[in-house]
Amino acid sequence: MNLLFKIGFLDISLVNLIDITLVSILIYQVYKLMRGSVAIKIFLGFLSIYLIYLVVSAAQMELLTIILGQFMGVGVLAAIILFQQEIRKFLLIVGKSSIFSNENLWQELLFWRKRESQAFNVTPIIEASKTLSGSSTGALIVLSKNSELKFYAESGDLIDAVVSKRLLVSIFNKYSPLHDGGVIIFNGRVKAARCILPVTEREVPAQFGLRHRAAIGMSEATDSLILIVSEETGQVSLAKNGKILHNLSFQEVREMINNYLTGEEIDDKFEPLTQSEKMAELKRISEL
């Protein structure tokens, strides 16, 4: 071990500095992942106890080390239960970044499989949104380009039909038995309707109701793009990766959906929830 310097009873080496740097980066990324959610306070509590455990262990306080050590052993299991949504999102991000998630790579290796384009004609979705918005009919449409989202699709009624304006309008009709919940669309087909979507646990602006909370929760749990039509105002919004774009024009909605389906990066176009009210207010002022 190459000793660099010594602080009291601590011997600091180059490996220790690298270790501390990597752990700091990991903790910061976890903090960014949970920032704005209720879980951040629990995470900071666990982190504080763990830092105390490291200090008393290094100081050779045996009694406190044993007590906190037992707590940390149980705390790992508790953390998995409490942070299951955050862990799922973290693994989803890692999976997206992995070379094994690159569909084009596998299709090149398995050259006999013909590549199917995930892009499709989104005009029926836009036209249905216009009709639903004009009649102030609420809607929640989940667009997925990488997965059929079978877990969520099976929570509703399976349809597996080609996307059309009449189909979407009839599903979200207030008197339809399928209008509650969300519709899942994959590869140009309506996979299911009346699907139960996860509701976000984060604090959201008061202007957003349960439909918007479900859209944000679904965008946190999956790599999907969710379209929301407000029942109160008729305004159209999009949610992705825990962020939302509010009060969009239909041309903007069309461009965002097409960019998402063709694989273009659109995450940086979305605003954090804490800024959405300010952005909506600025947009209203500019239109006056």
Side-chain angles (χ1 to χ4, degrees):
M1 179 183 296
N2 296 322
L3 183 64
L4 294 180
F5 54 89
K6 187 173 183 179
I7 303 177
F9 55 84
L10 294 177
D11 296 330
I12 307 298
S13 67
L14 180 61
V15 175
N16 296 139
L17 291 178
I18 295 174
D19 189 23
I20 293 172
T21 302
L22 293 177
V23 170
S24 301
I25 294 172
L26 178 61
I27 292 175
Y28 176 68
Q29 293 300 325
V30 172
Y31 169 76
K32 284 176 56 180
L33 192 67
M34 295 189 296
R35 183 173 53 191
S37 67
V38 179
I40 187 62
K41 296 181 180 179
I42 304 175
F43 171 72
L44 292 176
F46 271 112
L47 183 60
S48 300
I49 294 175
Y50 183 65
L51 291 176
I52 294 173
Y53 168 73
L54 293 178
V55 171
V56 299
S57 178
Q60 297 181 353
M61 299 179 183
E62 296 184 2
L63 184 58
L64 271 177
T65 301
I66 293 173
I67 294 174
L68 293 178
Q70 293 293 329
F71 179 82
M72 294 306 301
V74 178
V76 172
L77 181 60
I80 294 175
I81 297 173
L82 291 172
F83 301 131
Q84 55 180 323
Q85 291 293 337
E86 285 73 19
I87 293 173
R88 177 186 177 90
K89 185 178 179 182
F90 176 75
L91 294 176
L92 177 64
I93 293 173
V94 173
K96 284 172 56 182
S97 304
S98 172
I99 61 171
F100 297 105
S101 65
N102 191 332
E103 185 181 357
N104 294 334
L105 174 64
W106 290 109
Q107 287 173 346
E108 289 177 5
L109 293 176
L110 304 176
F111 55 88
W112 60 85
R113 284 189 57 187
K114 184 179 179 180
R115 185 171 184 261
E116 297 179 0
S117 175
Q118 299 297 330
F120 57 89
N121 185 13
V122 300
T123 298
I125 300 175
I126 304 301
E127 293 300 320
S129 301
K130 289 180 181 178
T131 301
L132 295 168
S133 175
S135 60
S136 294
T137 302
L140 190 57
I141 301 175
V142 180
L143 298 162
S144 176
K145 64 177 180 179
N146 296 320
S147 170
E148 297 184 19
L149 302 175
K150 288 184 178 180
F151 175 79
Y152 298 100
E154 290 173 354
S155 68
D157 296 326
L158 299 178
I159 295 179
D160 195 23
V162 176
V163 175
S164 69
K165 173 185 174 182
R166 287 192 293 268
L167 176 59
L168 293 175
V169 171
S170 63
I171 287 175
F172 290 111
N173 184 285
K174 297 177 182 179
Y175 302 102
S176 169
L178 299 175
H179 79 279
D180 283 330
V183 162
I184 294 177
I185 296 178
F186 173 71
N187 203 20
R189 301 184 69 85
V190 177
K191 291 298 179 179
R194 204 175 62 84
C195 300
I196 300 174
L197 306 184
V199 178
T200 183
E201 297 181 359
R202 297 164 59 193
E203 295 182 3
V204 299
Q207 70 189 77
F208 295 147
L210 184 60
R211 186 173 286 108
H212 289 83
R213 292 180 65 89
I216 295 168
M218 187 67 175
S219 71
E220 291 173 338
T222 65
D223 182 31
S224 56
L225 180 68
I226 299 91
L227 185 150
I228 316 106
V229 178
S230 173
E231 187 173 352
E232 289 76 19
T233 63
Q235 294 176 345
V236 180
S237 307
L238 289 172
K240 190 176 188 299
N241 198 27
K243 300 178 181 179
I244 196 165
L245 277 177
H246 188 52
N247 193 18
L248 298 172
S249 68
F250 293 105
Q251 181 60 33
E252 290 173 324
V253 173
R254 180 187 293 273
E255 291 176 0
M256 293 291 287
I257 293 177
N258 280 327
N259 291 341
Y260 167 74
L261 293 175
T262 54
E264 184 174 329
E265 185 61 44
I266 61 173
D267 288 356
D268 57 346
K269 299 179 181 179
F270 285 77
E271 296 293 335
L273 292 178
T274 54
Q275 298 181 13
S276 58
E277 283 185 319
K278 296 179 181 179
M279 296 300 295
E281 184 64 25
L282 289 174
K283 192 169 185 178
R284 283 196 296 270
I285 293 174
S286 64
E287 292 173 349
L288 294 178

PDB file of all heavy atoms in Angstrom, residues 252-280:
ATOM      1  N   GLU A 252     -46.258  20.616 -31.448  1.00  0.00           N
ATOM      2  CA  GLU A 252     -45.188  20.254 -30.522  1.00  0.00           C
ATOM      3  C   GLU A 252     -45.327  18.807 -30.068  1.00  0.00           C
ATOM      4  O   GLU A 252     -44.325  18.084 -29.955  1.00  0.00           O
ATOM      5  CB  GLU A 252     -45.202  21.192 -29.309  1.00  0.00           C
ATOM      6  CG  GLU A 252     -44.780  22.614 -29.618  1.00  0.00           C
ATOM      7  CD  GLU A 252     -44.958  23.541 -28.437  1.00  0.00           C
ATOM      8  OE1 GLU A 252     -45.945  23.366 -27.681  1.00  0.00           O
ATOM      9  OE2 GLU A 252     -44.122  24.445 -28.257  1.00  0.00           O
ATOM     10  N   VAL A 253     -46.547  18.370 -29.807  1.00  0.00           N
ATOM     11  CA  VAL A 253     -46.791  16.986 -29.392  1.00  0.00           C
ATOM     12  C   VAL A 253     -46.368  16.021 -30.491  1.00  0.00           C
ATOM     13  O   VAL A 253     -45.713  15.010 -30.241  1.00  0.00           O
ATOM     14  CB  VAL A 253     -48.278  16.778 -29.039  1.00  0.00           C
ATOM     15  CG1 VAL A 253     -48.572  15.305 -28.781  1.00  0.00           C
ATOM     16  CG2 VAL A 253     -48.654  17.601 -27.815  1.00  0.00           C
ATOM     17  N   ARG A 254     -46.730  16.342 -31.729  1.00  0.00           N
ATOM     18  CA  ARG A 254     -46.362  15.485 -32.864  1.00  0.00           C
ATOM     19  C   ARG A 254     -44.842  15.361 -32.985  1.00  0.00           C
ATOM     20  O   ARG A 254     -44.307  14.255 -33.160  1.00  0.00           O
ATOM     21  CB  ARG A 254     -46.950  16.043 -34.160  1.00  0.00           C
ATOM     22  CG  ARG A 254     -46.615  15.215 -35.413  1.00  0.00           C
ATOM     23  CD  ARG A 254     -47.083  15.916 -36.666  1.00  0.00           C
ATOM     24  NE  ARG A 254     -48.531  15.990 -36.741  1.00  0.00           N
ATOM     25  CZ  ARG A 254     -49.294  15.029 -37.259  1.00  0.00           C
ATOM     26  NH1 ARG A 254     -48.722  13.923 -37.750  1.00  0.00           N
ATOM     27  NH2 ARG A 254     -50.590  15.168 -37.304  1.00  0.00           N
ATOM     28  N   GLU A 255     -44.142  16.487 -32.895  1.00  0.00           N
ATOM     29  CA  GLU A 255     -42.684  16.470 -33.023  1.00  0.00           C
ATOM     30  C   GLU A 255     -42.041  15.663 -31.895  1.00  0.00           C
ATOM     31  O   GLU A 255     -41.104  14.888 -32.144  1.00  0.00           O
ATOM     32  CB  GLU A 255     -42.157  17.899 -33.024  1.00  0.00           C
ATOM     33  CG  GLU A 255     -42.527  18.693 -34.271  1.00  0.00           C
ATOM     34  CD  GLU A 255     -42.061  20.135 -34.194  1.00  0.00           C
ATOM     35  OE1 GLU A 255     -41.458  20.503 -33.161  1.00  0.00           O
ATOM     36  OE2 GLU A 255     -42.291  20.900 -35.158  1.00  0.00           O
ATOM     37  N   MET A 256     -42.523  15.842 -30.666  1.00  0.00           N
ATOM     38  CA  MET A 256     -41.943  15.138 -29.535  1.00  0.00           C
ATOM     39  C   MET A 256     -42.159  13.627 -29.659  1.00  0.00           C
ATOM     40  O   MET A 256     -41.243  12.831 -29.394  1.00  0.00           O
ATOM     41  CB  MET A 256     -42.556  15.649 -28.236  1.00  0.00           C
ATOM     42  CG  MET A 256     -42.190  17.088 -27.901  1.00  0.00           C
ATOM     43  SD  MET A 256     -40.446  17.302 -27.464  1.00  0.00           S
ATOM     44  CE  MET A 256     -40.433  16.554 -25.844  1.00  0.00           C
ATOM     45  N   ILE A 257     -43.351  13.226 -30.066  1.00  0.00           N
ATOM     46  CA  ILE A 257     -43.638  11.793 -30.205  1.00  0.00           C
ATOM     47  C   ILE A 257     -42.785  11.184 -31.320  1.00  0.00           C
ATOM     48  O   ILE A 257     -42.209  10.099 -31.162  1.00  0.00           O
ATOM     49  CB  ILE A 257     -45.144  11.559 -30.470  1.00  0.00           C
ATOM     50  CG1 ILE A 257     -45.965  11.953 -29.246  1.00  0.00           C
ATOM     51  CG2 ILE A 257     -45.397  10.094 -30.824  1.00  0.00           C
ATOM     52  CD1 ILE A 257     -47.471  11.827 -29.445  1.00  0.00           C
ATOM     53  N   ASN A 258     -42.702  11.860 -32.450  1.00  0.00           N
ATOM     54  CA  ASN A 258     -41.895  11.353 -33.563  1.00  0.00           C
ATOM     55  C   ASN A 258     -40.420  11.249 -33.176  1.00  0.00           C
ATOM     56  O   ASN A 258     -39.744  10.274 -33.512  1.00  0.00           O
ATOM     57  CB  ASN A 258     -42.058  12.247 -34.791  1.00  0.00           C
ATOM     58  CG  ASN A 258     -43.344  11.966 -35.554  1.00  0.00           C
ATOM     59  OD1 ASN A 258     -43.801  10.832 -35.605  1.00  0.00           O
ATOM     60  ND2 ASN A 258     -43.928  12.999 -36.132  1.00  0.00           N
ATOM     61  N   ASN A 259     -39.913  12.263 -32.474  1.00  0.00           N
ATOM     62  CA  ASN A 259     -38.521  12.227 -32.033  1.00  0.00           C
ATOM     63  C   ASN A 259     -38.278  11.074 -31.070  1.00  0.00           C
ATOM     64  O   ASN A 259     -37.248  10.392 -31.129  1.00  0.00           O
ATOM     65  CB  ASN A 259     -38.138  13.555 -31.372  1.00  0.00           C
ATOM     66  CG  ASN A 259     -38.069  14.693 -32.356  1.00  0.00           C
ATOM     67  OD1 ASN A 259     -37.959  14.485 -33.564  1.00  0.00           O
ATOM     68  ND2 ASN A 259     -38.148  15.912 -31.858  1.00  0.00           N
ATOM     69  N   TYR A 260     -39.227  10.851 -30.176  1.00  0.00           N
ATOM     70  CA  TYR A 260     -39.094   9.750 -29.216  1.00  0.00           C
ATOM     71  C   TYR A 260     -39.087   8.393 -29.925  1.00  0.00           C
ATOM     72  O   TYR A 260     -38.246   7.534 -29.643  1.00  0.00           O
ATOM     73  CB  TYR A 260     -40.244   9.811 -28.210  1.00  0.00           C
ATOM     74  CG  TYR A 260     -40.405   8.567 -27.372  1.00  0.00           C
ATOM     75  CD1 TYR A 260     -39.517   8.272 -26.336  1.00  0.00           C
ATOM     76  CD2 TYR A 260     -41.445   7.672 -27.620  1.00  0.00           C
ATOM     77  CE1 TYR A 260     -39.662   7.129 -25.569  1.00  0.00           C
ATOM     78  CE2 TYR A 260     -41.594   6.528 -26.860  1.00  0.00           C
ATOM     79  CZ  TYR A 260     -40.709   6.252 -25.834  1.00  0.00           C
ATOM     80  OH  TYR A 260     -40.853   5.114 -25.086  1.00  0.00           O
ATOM     81  N   LEU A 261     -39.998   8.208 -30.868  1.00  0.00           N
ATOM     82  CA  LEU A 261     -40.113   6.916 -31.549  1.00  0.00           C
ATOM     83  C   LEU A 261     -38.924   6.634 -32.465  1.00  0.00           C
ATOM     84  O   LEU A 261     -38.578   5.464 -32.686  1.00  0.00           O
ATOM     85  CB  LEU A 261     -41.415   6.866 -32.360  1.00  0.00           C
ATOM     86  CG  LEU A 261     -42.714   6.870 -31.548  1.00  0.00           C
ATOM     87  CD1 LEU A 261     -43.930   6.940 -32.466  1.00  0.00           C
ATOM     88  CD2 LEU A 261     -42.801   5.621 -30.664  1.00  0.00           C
ATOM     89  N   THR A 262     -38.297   7.670 -32.977  1.00  0.00           N
ATOM     90  CA  THR A 262     -37.142   7.469 -33.865  1.00  0.00           C
ATOM     91  C   THR A 262     -35.830   7.408 -33.094  1.00  0.00           C
ATOM     92  O   THR A 262     -34.766   7.320 -33.706  1.00  0.00           O
ATOM     93  CB  THR A 262     -37.074   8.592 -34.913  1.00  0.00           C
ATOM     94  OG1 THR A 262     -37.072   9.868 -34.253  1.00  0.00           O
ATOM     95  CG2 THR A 262     -38.257   8.510 -35.864  1.00  0.00           C
ATOM     96  N   GLY A 263     -35.908   7.470 -31.764  1.00  0.00           N
ATOM     97  CA  GLY A 263     -34.708   7.303 -30.953  1.00  0.00           C
ATOM     98  C   GLY A 263     -33.939   8.565 -30.657  1.00  0.00           C
ATOM     99  O   GLY A 263     -32.847   8.511 -30.086  1.00  0.00           O
ATOM    100  N   GLU A 264     -34.485   9.723 -31.008  1.00  0.00           N
ATOM    101  CA  GLU A 264     -33.790  10.982 -30.721  1.00  0.00           C
ATOM    102  C   GLU A 264     -33.903  11.300 -29.231  1.00  0.00           C
ATOM    103  O   GLU A 264     -34.946  11.055 -28.603  1.00  0.00           O
ATOM    104  CB  GLU A 264     -34.403  12.120 -31.548  1.00  0.00           C
ATOM    105  CG  GLU A 264     -33.685  13.443 -31.392  1.00  0.00           C
ATOM    106  CD  GLU A 264     -34.232  14.505 -32.332  1.00  0.00           C
ATOM    107  OE1 GLU A 264     -34.698  14.127 -33.432  1.00  0.00           O
ATOM    108  OE2 GLU A 264     -34.204  15.692 -31.963  1.00  0.00           O
ATOM    109  N   GLU A 265     -32.854  11.855 -28.661  1.00  0.00           N
ATOM    110  CA  GLU A 265     -32.837  12.193 -27.237  1.00  0.00           C
ATOM    111  C   GLU A 265     -33.708  13.417 -26.985  1.00  0.00           C
ATOM    112  O   GLU A 265     -33.485  14.482 -27.565  1.00  0.00           O
ATOM    113  CB  GLU A 265     -31.400  12.479 -26.778  1.00  0.00           C
ATOM    114  CG  GLU A 265     -31.283  12.723 -25.292  1.00  0.00           C
ATOM    115  CD  GLU A 265     -31.725  11.530 -24.463  1.00  0.00           C
ATOM    116  OE1 GLU A 265     -31.353  10.390 -24.813  1.00  0.00           O
ATOM    117  OE2 GLU A 265     -32.458  11.748 -23.479  1.00  0.00           O
ATOM    118  N   ILE A 266     -34.726  13.259 -26.128  1.00  0.00           N
ATOM    119  CA  ILE A 266     -35.644  14.370 -25.853  1.00  0.00           C
ATOM    120  C   ILE A 266     -35.723  14.705 -24.364  1.00  0.00           C
ATOM    121  O   ILE A 266     -36.459  15.616 -23.976  1.00  0.00           O
ATOM    122  CB  ILE A 266     -37.070  14.041 -26.367  1.00  0.00           C
ATOM    123  CG1 ILE A 266     -37.629  12.803 -25.649  1.00  0.00           C
ATOM    124  CG2 ILE A 266     -37.092  13.865 -27.860  1.00  0.00           C
ATOM    125  CD1 ILE A 266     -39.081  12.514 -25.978  1.00  0.00           C
ATOM    126  N   ASP A 267     -34.958  14.005 -23.521  1.00  0.00           N
ATOM    127  CA  ASP A 267     -35.053  14.220 -22.077  1.00  0.00           C
ATOM    128  C   ASP A 267     -34.722  15.652 -21.681  1.00  0.00           C
ATOM    129  O   ASP A 267     -35.316  16.200 -20.748  1.00  0.00           O
ATOM    130  CB  ASP A 267     -34.123  13.253 -21.338  1.00  0.00           C
ATOM    131  CG  ASP A 267     -34.639  11.823 -21.378  1.00  0.00           C
ATOM    132  OD1 ASP A 267     -35.746  11.612 -21.918  1.00  0.00           O
ATOM    133  OD2 ASP A 267     -33.941  10.920 -20.885  1.00  0.00           O
ATOM    134  N   ASP A 268     -33.758  16.277 -22.376  1.00  0.00           N
ATOM    135  CA  ASP A 268     -33.344  17.627 -21.995  1.00  0.00           C
ATOM    136  C   ASP A 268     -34.395  18.677 -22.337  1.00  0.00           C
ATOM    137  O   ASP A 268     -34.276  19.837 -21.921  1.00  0.00           O
ATOM    138  CB  ASP A 268     -32.023  17.987 -22.677  1.00  0.00           C
ATOM    139  CG  ASP A 268     -32.093  17.873 -24.200  1.00  0.00           C
ATOM    140  OD1 ASP A 268     -33.065  17.268 -24.705  1.00  0.00           O
ATOM    141  OD2 ASP A 268     -31.192  18.387 -24.878  1.00  0.00           O
ATOM    142  N   LYS A 269     -35.432  18.297 -23.078  1.00  0.00           N
ATOM    143  CA  LYS A 269     -36.495  19.239 -23.421  1.00  0.00           C
ATOM    144  C   LYS A 269     -37.572  19.317 -22.339  1.00  0.00           C
ATOM    145  O   LYS A 269     -38.439  20.190 -22.386  1.00  0.00           O
ATOM    146  CB  LYS A 269     -37.138  18.856 -24.759  1.00  0.00           C
ATOM    147  CG  LYS A 269     -36.158  18.885 -25.929  1.00  0.00           C
ATOM    148  CD  LYS A 269     -36.835  18.487 -27.228  1.00  0.00           C
ATOM    149  CE  LYS A 269     -35.834  18.496 -28.385  1.00  0.00           C
ATOM    150  NZ  LYS A 269     -36.464  18.092 -29.662  1.00  0.00           N
ATOM    151  N   PHE A 270     -37.530  18.402 -21.387  1.00  0.00           N
ATOM    152  CA  PHE A 270     -38.532  18.369 -20.330  1.00  0.00           C
ATOM    153  C   PHE A 270     -38.052  19.169 -19.129  1.00  0.00           C
ATOM    154  O   PHE A 270     -36.857  19.216 -18.838  1.00  0.00           O
ATOM    155  CB  PHE A 270     -38.829  16.926 -19.918  1.00  0.00           C
ATOM    156  CG  PHE A 270     -39.679  16.184 -20.915  1.00  0.00           C
ATOM    157  CD1 PHE A 270     -39.129  15.695 -22.086  1.00  0.00           C
ATOM    158  CD2 PHE A 270     -41.024  15.977 -20.682  1.00  0.00           C
ATOM    159  CE1 PHE A 270     -39.896  15.027 -23.009  1.00  0.00           C
ATOM    160  CE2 PHE A 270     -41.809  15.306 -21.596  1.00  0.00           C
ATOM    161  CZ  PHE A 270     -41.253  14.829 -22.763  1.00  0.00           C
ATOM    162  N   GLU A 271     -39.010  19.771 -18.439  1.00  0.00           N
ATOM    163  CA  GLU A 271     -38.691  20.599 -17.286  1.00  0.00           C
ATOM    164  C   GLU A 271     -38.981  19.834 -15.996  1.00  0.00           C
ATOM    165  O   GLU A 271     -39.953  19.079 -15.930  1.00  0.00           O
ATOM    166  CB  GLU A 271     -39.528  21.886 -17.294  1.00  0.00           C
ATOM    167  CG  GLU A 271     -39.249  22.802 -18.469  1.00  0.00           C
ATOM    168  CD  GLU A 271     -37.851  23.382 -18.413  1.00  0.00           C
ATOM    169  OE1 GLU A 271     -37.288  23.478 -17.308  1.00  0.00           O
ATOM    170  OE2 GLU A 271     -37.320  23.728 -19.484  1.00  0.00           O
ATOM    171  N   PRO A 272     -38.161  20.025 -14.951  1.00  0.00           N
ATOM    172  CA  PRO A 272     -38.464  19.427 -13.653  1.00  0.00           C
ATOM    173  C   PRO A 272     -39.808  19.920 -13.133  1.00  0.00           C
ATOM    174  O   PRO A 272     -40.275  20.997 -13.488  1.00  0.00           O
ATOM    175  CB  PRO A 272     -37.318  19.925 -12.756  1.00  0.00           C
ATOM    176  CG  PRO A 272     -36.229  20.302 -13.706  1.00  0.00           C
ATOM    177  CD  PRO A 272     -36.908  20.778 -14.952  1.00  0.00           C
ATOM    178  N   LEU A 273     -40.448  19.114 -12.292  1.00  0.00           N
ATOM    179  CA  LEU A 273     -41.766  19.458 -11.792  1.00  0.00           C
ATOM    180  C   LEU A 273     -41.761  20.781 -11.046  1.00  0.00           C
ATOM    181  O   LEU A 273     -42.734  21.530 -11.077  1.00  0.00           O
ATOM    182  CB  LEU A 273     -42.280  18.349 -10.860  1.00  0.00           C
ATOM    183  CG  LEU A 273     -42.587  17.012 -11.530  1.00  0.00           C
ATOM    184  CD1 LEU A 273     -43.036  16.001 -10.503  1.00  0.00           C
ATOM    185  CD2 LEU A 273     -43.636  17.166 -12.603  1.00  0.00           C
ATOM    186  N   THR A 274     -40.698  21.091 -10.372  1.00  0.00           N
ATOM    187  CA  THR A 274     -40.638  22.320  -9.592  1.00  0.00           C
ATOM    188  C   THR A 274     -40.634  23.558 -10.468  1.00  0.00           C
ATOM    189  O   THR A 274     -40.932  24.646 -10.004  1.00  0.00           O
ATOM    190  CB  THR A 274     -39.383  22.332  -8.711  1.00  0.00           C
ATOM    191  OG1 THR A 274     -38.236  22.118  -9.539  1.00  0.00           O
ATOM    192  CG2 THR A 274     -39.456  21.245  -7.655  1.00  0.00           C
ATOM    193  N   GLN A 275     -40.315  23.396 -11.760  1.00  0.00           N
ATOM    194  CA  GLN A 275     -40.274  24.541 -12.675  1.00  0.00           C
ATOM    195  C   GLN A 275     -41.480  24.588 -13.605  1.00  0.00           C
ATOM    196  O   GLN A 275     -41.657  25.552 -14.340  1.00  0.00           O
ATOM    197  CB  GLN A 275     -39.000  24.493 -13.529  1.00  0.00           C
ATOM    198  CG  GLN A 275     -37.719  24.577 -12.719  1.00  0.00           C
ATOM    199  CD  GLN A 275     -36.497  24.540 -13.615  1.00  0.00           C
ATOM    200  OE1 GLN A 275     -36.589  24.692 -14.818  1.00  0.00           O
ATOM    201  NE2 GLN A 275     -35.342  24.312 -13.016  1.00  0.00           N
ATOM    202  N   SER A 276     -42.307  23.546 -13.595  1.00  0.00           N
ATOM    203  CA  SER A 276     -43.389  23.453 -14.568  1.00  0.00           C
ATOM    204  C   SER A 276     -44.410  24.574 -14.402  1.00  0.00           C
ATOM    205  O   SER A 276     -44.914  25.118 -15.388  1.00  0.00           O
ATOM    206  CB  SER A 276     -44.086  22.095 -14.458  1.00  0.00           C
ATOM    207  OG  SER A 276     -44.593  21.899 -13.159  1.00  0.00           O
ATOM    208  N   GLU A 277     -44.725  24.935 -13.154  1.00  0.00           N
ATOM    209  CA  GLU A 277     -45.684  26.007 -12.935  1.00  0.00           C
ATOM    210  C   GLU A 277     -45.142  27.344 -13.444  1.00  0.00           C
ATOM    211  O   GLU A 277     -45.875  28.123 -14.044  1.00  0.00           O
ATOM    212  CB  GLU A 277     -46.015  26.106 -11.442  1.00  0.00           C
ATOM    213  CG  GLU A 277     -46.983  25.024 -10.968  1.00  0.00           C
ATOM    214  CD  GLU A 277     -47.385  25.239  -9.522  1.00  0.00           C
ATOM    215  OE1 GLU A 277     -46.511  25.585  -8.723  1.00  0.00           O
ATOM    216  OE2 GLU A 277     -48.567  25.060  -9.208  1.00  0.00           O
ATOM    217  N   LYS A 278     -43.843  27.601 -13.229  1.00  0.00           N
ATOM    218  CA  LYS A 278     -43.244  28.841 -13.706  1.00  0.00           C
ATOM    219  C   LYS A 278     -43.255  28.896 -15.228  1.00  0.00           C
ATOM    220  O   LYS A 278     -43.540  29.941 -15.817  1.00  0.00           O
ATOM    221  CB  LYS A 278     -41.806  28.962 -13.194  1.00  0.00           C
ATOM    222  CG  LYS A 278     -41.702  29.071 -11.670  1.00  0.00           C
ATOM    223  CD  LYS A 278     -40.252  29.171 -11.235  1.00  0.00           C
ATOM    224  CE  LYS A 278     -40.135  29.255  -9.717  1.00  0.00           C
ATOM    225  NZ  LYS A 278     -38.720  29.322  -9.279  1.00  0.00           N
ATOM    226  N   MET A 279     -42.935  27.756 -15.856  1.00  0.00           N
ATOM    227  CA  MET A 279     -42.907  27.728 -17.312  1.00  0.00           C
ATOM    228  C   MET A 279     -44.305  27.938 -17.881  1.00  0.00           C
ATOM    229  O   MET A 279     -44.491  28.641 -18.883  1.00  0.00           O
ATOM    230  CB  MET A 279     -42.329  26.398 -17.800  1.00  0.00           C
ATOM    231  CG  MET A 279     -40.874  26.170 -17.420  1.00  0.00           C
ATOM    232  SD  MET A 279     -39.767  27.428 -18.078  1.00  0.00           S
ATOM    233  CE  MET A 279     -39.939  27.105 -19.837  1.00  0.00           C
ATOM    234  N   ALA A 280     -45.317  27.337 -17.251  1.00  0.00           N
ATOM    235  CA  ALA A 280     -46.694  27.491 -17.713  1.00  0.00           C
ATOM    236  C   ALA A 280     -47.146  28.943 -17.559  1.00  0.00           C
ATOM    237  O   ALA A 280     -47.825  29.495 -18.431  1.00  0.00           O
ATOM    238  CB  ALA A 280     -47.612  26.561 -16.934  1.00  0.00           C
TER     239      ALA A 280
END
